[in-house]
Amino acid sequence: MTQVTERGTPLPAAPRAGVRRRSPAAAACVVGGAVAAGLGLGFLAVLVIVLWISSPYPDSGPGGALHLAAGLWLLAHGTELVRYDTLSGIPAPVGMTPLLLVALPVLLMRRAARLGSAAEEDDEEVLPAAAVFSAVLCGYLAVGALATVYAAGGPMPADPISAAWHIPLVAVLAAAGGVWGARGRPLGPLPSWLPGGARKAFVRPRYALALRAGAGGSLVLLGGGALVVGASLAWHGAEVQASFLSLTGVWSGRFAVLLLALTLIPNAMVWGAAYALGPGFALGSGVTATPLGFPGAPALPRFPLLAALPAEGPGTPLTWAAAGVPVVAGLAVGWFAVRRAREVSYGETALTAALGAVVCGLTMAGLAAASAGPLGSRRLSEFGPMWWTTGVAAFAWTAVLAVPVAVAVHAWRTRPAIGPEGLDADEAGAVDDRWHDSGVREIRWAALRKAAGALVPEMAAPVPVAPVPEPVAAPAVPVAALAAPAVPGRRAVTVVSGLDLDPGLLAPKPAEPVSAPLAPPVVGARVLARRKPPPE
């Protein structure tokens, strides 16, 4: 029998047993992930097409430009591309990822995950975090697989093995960050299979402080690396300008070179930080630039950022000055690792600083690994800083400086308060107890007046006042006698009888004795009008 509503329309049939109801919210999350990947591809495709149209010597048709855009999108995820058109005929890998280009897919994927976790209306279905994460990831990876297949027919196809784990890695991290941010950035609960001691240890404030200290040290290192690169570019300004102008003579080509240099600025910051830490960065197999010396670069392509390399030969005091960057980073880690609570011990502060150094080392190791990669074969197979040497150097610099700095700052913040006459807190407390426990009240007040000086002057003797004669008591008048007589046509007033007026209440009170003021009057003070509080 078909059930109908009050208007006569049939009700939808109930789902049969064993049939799962499809959620429109989950489908919307899948579409959102696919749209995020498509927007990244579309942005790069439009950019490459514009450069191809404005180029006076296009190498291929619009199909080749679209294939190149797909390859750049895959390169933005860290995927290694392969260049087959080489002079030697040996395929040359291109695996150095511009870090600024990575921000495009990360931001789009994070936004898709946040939108999938939010509900626009109150009655709209809100999926669990795991469902949103899985749905957005499926849509994004589907478009990534299609882009990998499409780029295989271009001049620089992607390595399938590299694309198989780089694209999911970036998508997983970005989607997890988006869902975590949409849920209010929760920190737990931790899984139940962890031991109870481990779960209690992870909720301690030391780990949040260690993350903050490590992030602060990493930012200082990156800022110092940017300062080192900027100073080198300014020092070699003529070489950089000549390199930029000699690459191409048309404005479209120079614009493309400028865009490539801008996308590589974060890489240069990481390289500058690795240079300041000591391990330096590789410019080919067997060639490393460090503050202690630079043996010379191989036959590198002409590029503005590469023209700012240090001069060949041993290090100079100018290059040694880059060591000030990790020193400042170690001081920053030690400063941020100190808690403001006084009950924390010195060992806890030192442990927090050491954990902050570990976080800084891991962060710099990850950034060094992401900023490096091959630019060709043979001598150009190693290009960029070594990740493990950079991480170890960052940890060593920050740990050696952060631990003593954190302990010193903790000792300064928890120093005992100085009491009167140079006594510390314990001695001042003991004197205060003796002050209240011994002596009499008159002696204490006398000492207080003597210490206060003119603020609390001696009380003047009261002025004798002549006694005022007491008034003659009048007979009590009943209240009922004061009532007006009743008038016809008016409302009657009921008066309670038995209440008598005391004439003493109406008699003038005697004047109180006038005493000397407690403090001298204030001269020249301004009286400000009191403002009304703002309405809530």
Side-chain angles (χ1 to χ4, degrees):
M1 180 178 180
T2 305
Q3 298 180 357
V4 296
T5 61
E6 296 178 356
R7 298 182 180 180
T9 58
L11 289 173
R16 293 176 298 175
V19 178
R20 279 185 78 180
R21 177 178 173 270
R22 295 183 178 179
S23 173
C29 290
V30 175
V31 175
V35 169
L39 288 176
L41 274 169
F43 175 79
L44 293 177
V46 170
L47 182 62
V48 172
I49 287 294
V50 169
L51 293 176
W52 174 77
I53 292 175
S54 59
S55 176
Y57 308 106
D59 295 336
S60 59
L66 293 178
H67 282 91
L68 180 60
L72 289 177
W73 185 79
L74 296 174
L75 183 64
H77 293 77
T79 304
E80 188 175 287
L81 305 181
V82 181
R83 184 165 57 91
Y84 290 98
D85 188 10
T86 59
L87 296 177
S88 61
I90 302 176
V94 179
M96 193 177 66
T97 303
L99 293 183
L100 190 61
L101 207 61
V102 181
L104 178 64
V106 169
L107 292 178
L108 292 174
M109 186 61 173
R110 188 174 181 272
R111 180 178 178 273
R114 288 179 63 90
L115 292 178
S117 302
E120 298 181 358
E121 300 179 359
D122 296 337
D123 57 347
E124 189 176 353
E125 180 185 8
V126 179
L127 294 177
V132 174
F133 174 78
S134 303
V136 174
L137 193 62
C138 288
Y140 195 89
L141 293 182
V143 177
L146 294 177
T148 305
V149 174
Y150 180 77
M156 297 180 65
D159 184 11
I161 299 178
S162 178
W165 71 274
H166 277 101
I167 298 177
L169 177 62
V170 175
V172 164
L173 294 178
V179 173
W180 182 63
R183 301 293 177 175
R185 297 179 176 86
L187 297 178
L190 296 174
S192 57
W193 50 267
L194 286 175
R199 283 183 292 176
K200 291 180 180 179
F202 276 107
V203 298
R204 292 180 180 177
R206 77 159 71 108
Y207 297 102
L209 288 174
L211 289 176
R212 184 185 67 175
S218 302
L219 290 177
V220 171
L221 286 175
L222 292 178
L227 182 62
V228 170
V229 173
S232 182
L233 287 173
W235 187 267
H236 301 86
E239 293 86 348
V240 172
Q241 182 179 4
S243 175
F244 180 76
L245 296 178
S246 63
L247 285 175
T248 179
V250 296
W251 70 268
S252 59
R254 292 178 179 176
F255 182 69
V257 172
L258 180 61
L259 286 180
L260 182 58
L262 290 178
T263 57
L264 288 174
I265 285 180
N267 299 63
M269 294 170 59
V270 179
W271 291 17
Y275 181 83
L277 287 170
F281 50 90
L283 293 171
S285 63
V287 179
T288 305
T290 64
L292 300 179
F294 181 47
L300 297 177
R302 296 181 63 86
F303 194 71
L305 292 179
L306 296 178
L309 292 174
E312 299 182 9
T316 61
L318 188 62
T319 61
W320 301 339
V325 174
V327 171
V328 178
L331 297 179
V333 172
W335 177 266
F336 287 113
V338 181
R339 292 180 59 187
R340 297 189 179 274
R342 291 181 175 268
E343 64 273 6
V344 179
S345 62
Y346 289 97
E348 179 73 15
T349 302
L351 179 59
T352 305
L355 291 177
V358 172
V359 173
C360 182
L362 293 177
T363 303
M364 293 307 300
L367 291 176
S371 65
L375 281 180
S377 57
R378 296 179 182 177
R379 300 185 66 180
L380 294 181
S381 59
E382 297 178 5
F383 214 78
M386 186 68 67
W387 67 270
W388 68 270
T389 56
T390 304
V392 170
F395 167 73
W397 275 99
T398 53
V400 168
L401 295 172
V403 173
V405 168
V407 173
V409 173
H410 176 74
W412 173 257
R413 289 182 179 178
T414 58
R415 67 189 185 279
I418 303 300
E421 299 181 1
L423 300 178
D424 58 8
D426 297 336
E427 296 177 355
V431 172
D432 186 72
D433 293 339
R434 291 196 302 270
W435 169 263
H436 287 284
D437 292 342
S438 62
V440 291
R441 181 174 300 179
E442 289 78 5
I443 299 177
R444 290 200 299 267
W445 274 108
L448 284 176
R449 284 196 298 270
K450 183 178 179 181
L455 295 178
V456 184
E458 296 290 342
M459 302 293 292
V463 180
V465 180
V468 180
E470 296 182 0
V472 180
V477 182
V479 179
L482 300 178
V487 180
R490 293 185 179 181
R491 186 176 179 181
V493 179
T494 305
V495 180
V496 180
S497 60
L499 298 177
D500 299 333
L501 293 177
D502 188 2
L505 299 175
L506 303 178
K509 295 183 180 181
E512 297 180 357
V514 180
S515 60
L518 296 179
V522 180
V523 180
R526 296 180 58 188
V527 180
L528 300 178
R530 184 178 181 182
R531 298 182 180 179
K532 298 177 63 178
E536 296 182 357

